Amino acid sequence: MAFLNGLSAFPITPSDRNGVVDTEALRKLIARLCAAEVDSIGLLGSTGTYMYLSREQRRRALAAALEETQGRRAVVAGVGALRTDEAIRLAQDAKSLGAAAGLLAAVSYAPLSEDEVFEHFSAVARESRLPIVIYDNPGTTHFRFSPALVARLAHVAGIVAIKNPTDKPEEIEAHLAGQRSTTPQDFSIGYSGDWNATEAIICGADTWYSVLAGIMPDICLRIVRAAQQGDMAEARRLDGLLVPIWDLFKEFSSLRTVYAIADIIGVCTGEPPRPILPLPDPAKAKIATRLSLLERNLALHDAMSPMA
């Protein structure tokens, strides 16, 4: 089995306007994920606003999360930075604190070449000795990993997995097969992009790296378990119930939406780091309505299930 598999839940990182992490709120989020028994936790990802936090605050968040998990769940920590030496230090911090792996994106102000990205990732893996997950996030970094670059990096010691974007669901199967053919057998291939991730899991991806699971893990976990058990129809039915939520993600962005969800369901209150603004009240009302609809539809779905 691959090093990372199943559902990896990515929570927000609650903090104040000065960028100081609210560890009590973060612990509540982590406790929910542990109670739901997600397969791993992705801390300090894009939803965790890692690029808006100082090294000190990243350490503070990771230490609190790891203390809350008490080893019950693997924690993958974002270690991306503009400079290679800074990313190395962040990865070393993550390893010393007990993270299972580091999530590394090709973050840059100036456009990077494939050779530059290869050297960046190789150096972080080599110098930190922390297992590294490739984070292909072209919507944010404006760098897309080519099949050839993924194949090169997958054979570097210490680079163990990839978090792929999902652009078109009809292309996932071929994309996954292509990566499988050029990477080691134990290299974990996963996908983000929540509204297409069910199809990725059905196609045989190892991991769903999920934003929604960071705040609403239960239904996401049900989708993954259904797919793992071969019940593709159930996985798709559950995913269908989430279409109104996926539409919110597309309309408002997943980051802004999950901050609003956390507030609406009473898990924690907080605002995304500036200059990102919280959603206005009409948008929050729309999200609250969709959540109520989801709750009703899920109850109806379960009532009609043969297992009910």
Side-chain angles (χ1 to χ4, degrees):
M1 181 178 290
F3 173 65
L4 288 170
N5 62 86
L7 181 66
S8 189
F10 279 66
I12 61 175
T13 309
S15 61
D16 66 17
R17 291 197 175 188
N18 294 316
V20 177
V21 173
D22 182 344
T23 55
E24 181 178 354
L26 179 59
R27 283 175 179 274
K28 289 180 180 178
L29 289 165
I30 299 301
R32 282 169 57 87
L33 302 181
C34 290
E37 298 186 349
V38 300
D39 295 297
S40 63
I41 295 171
L43 196 75
L44 300 171
S46 295
T47 303
T49 57
Y50 70 105
M51 287 300 291
Y52 296 87
L53 296 170
S54 67
R55 180 184 179 188
E56 176 189 4
Q57 291 304 314
R58 292 203 214 183
R59 285 183 60 93
R60 175 182 168 88
L62 183 55
L66 288 166
E67 186 175 347
E68 185 64 37
T69 65
Q70 296 182 347
R72 291 173 290 171
R73 293 291 174 268
V75 175
V76 179
V79 296
L82 288 169
R83 292 177 58 91
T84 299
D85 55 349
E86 184 179 356
I88 289 170
R89 287 191 290 270
L90 291 165
Q92 290 170 336
D93 288 346
K95 180 175 176 59
S96 68
L97 289 168
L103 181 65
L104 182 61
V107 181
S108 184
Y109 183 82
L112 296 174
S113 70
E114 291 204 350
D115 285 341
E116 288 167 337
V117 171
F118 180 82
E119 292 301 327
H120 178 66
F121 276 69
S122 299
V124 174
R126 181 179 63 252
E127 298 298 327
S128 71
R129 299 186 180 276
L130 176 72
I132 296 297
V133 179
I134 301 166
Y135 185 10
D136 188 0
N137 187 18
T140 297
T141 64
H142 308 294
F143 180 90
R144 183 177 288 275
F145 286 77
S146 70
L149 180 57
V150 172
R152 287 176 69 193
L153 287 169
H155 289 87
V156 172
I159 298 181
V160 299
I162 186 167
K163 178 178 184 283
N164 287 296
T166 53
D167 297 327
K168 299 177 181 178
E170 67 274 12
E171 296 178 358
I172 293 172
E173 186 173 9
H175 181 270
L176 177 60
Q179 281 196 349
R180 290 267 189 240
S181 70
T182 61
T183 56
Q185 186 175 0
D186 60 351
F187 185 78
S188 174
I189 300 175
Y191 290 83
S192 57
D194 277 0
W195 48 87
N196 291 327
T198 294
E199 288 304 312
I201 291 294
I202 287 173
C203 288
D206 295 301
T207 312
W208 174 9
Y209 296 97
S210 174
V211 173
L212 186 64
I215 190 65
M216 298 174 62
D218 293 330
I219 187 169
C220 299
L221 196 59
R222 287 178 63 179
I223 291 171
V224 170
R225 295 293 181 257
Q228 289 174 330
Q229 293 164 12
D231 193 346
M232 310 312 181
E234 175 68 359
R236 289 191 173 107
R237 279 193 293 268
L238 289 167
D239 180 65
L241 298 180
L242 290 172
V243 167
I245 306 299
W246 304 151
D247 289 343
L248 292 172
F249 278 18
K250 295 171 187 177
E251 181 177 359
F252 301 125
S253 83
S254 58
L255 174 63
R256 295 178 181 88
T257 301
V258 293
Y259 265 91
I261 291 174
D263 188 14
I264 291 166
I265 67 177
V267 177
C268 66
T269 58
E271 296 181 357
R274 298 300 176 94
I276 304 169
L277 296 175
L279 291 174
D281 289 341
K284 290 181 180 178
K286 185 174 184 178
I287 293 169
T289 299
R290 296 284 178 90
L291 291 174
S292 295
L293 176 65
L294 173 61
E295 184 177 4
R296 291 195 299 272
N297 287 343
L298 187 57
L300 180 62
H301 168 89
D302 290 346
M304 297 176 64
S305 171
M307 299 298 293

